[in-house]
Amino acid sequence: MFDLFRNKTSSYKADILAVLTVALALLPEAVTFAFVNNVEPMIGLYTAFIMGLVTALIGARWHLSVRWQ
């Protein structure tokens, strides 16, 4: 976690593309789940953001990612 900026082998273009892909898939899903549960859409968006943040901070597993060795 502390080696975030050292030994960076991926490009910023790939990182931005990954963020956009997740955002485009997550936003409609979060709003839909909010409607299904009869809550406001913003609650679904807040929940999706918080879960993404928690996963990024303590749940990320870099050794489980699929990549070429």
Side-chain angles (χ1 to χ4, degrees):
M1 184 167 89
F2 297 108
D3 292 332
L4 185 62
F5 296 107
R6 281 188 276 166
N7 300 328
K8 183 130 174 105
T9 59
S10 65
S11 66
Y12 291 111
K13 183 179 177 183
D15 290 343
I16 291 172
L17 182 63
V19 167
L20 290 175
T21 303
V22 170
L24 288 175
L26 185 64
L27 290 177
E29 182 180 349
V31 172
T32 303
F33 280 130
F35 281 129
V36 167
N37 291 316
N38 293 324
V39 295
E40 292 185 29
M42 287 303 293
I43 293 174
L45 294 174
Y46 289 144
T47 304
F49 174 75
I50 290 172
M51 287 308 298
L53 186 64
V54 168
T55 303
L57 291 176
I58 63 172
R61 303 284 186 250
W62 62 268
H63 58 279
L64 294 177
S65 66
V66 177
R67 60 184 173 153
W68 292 100
Q69 294 293 329

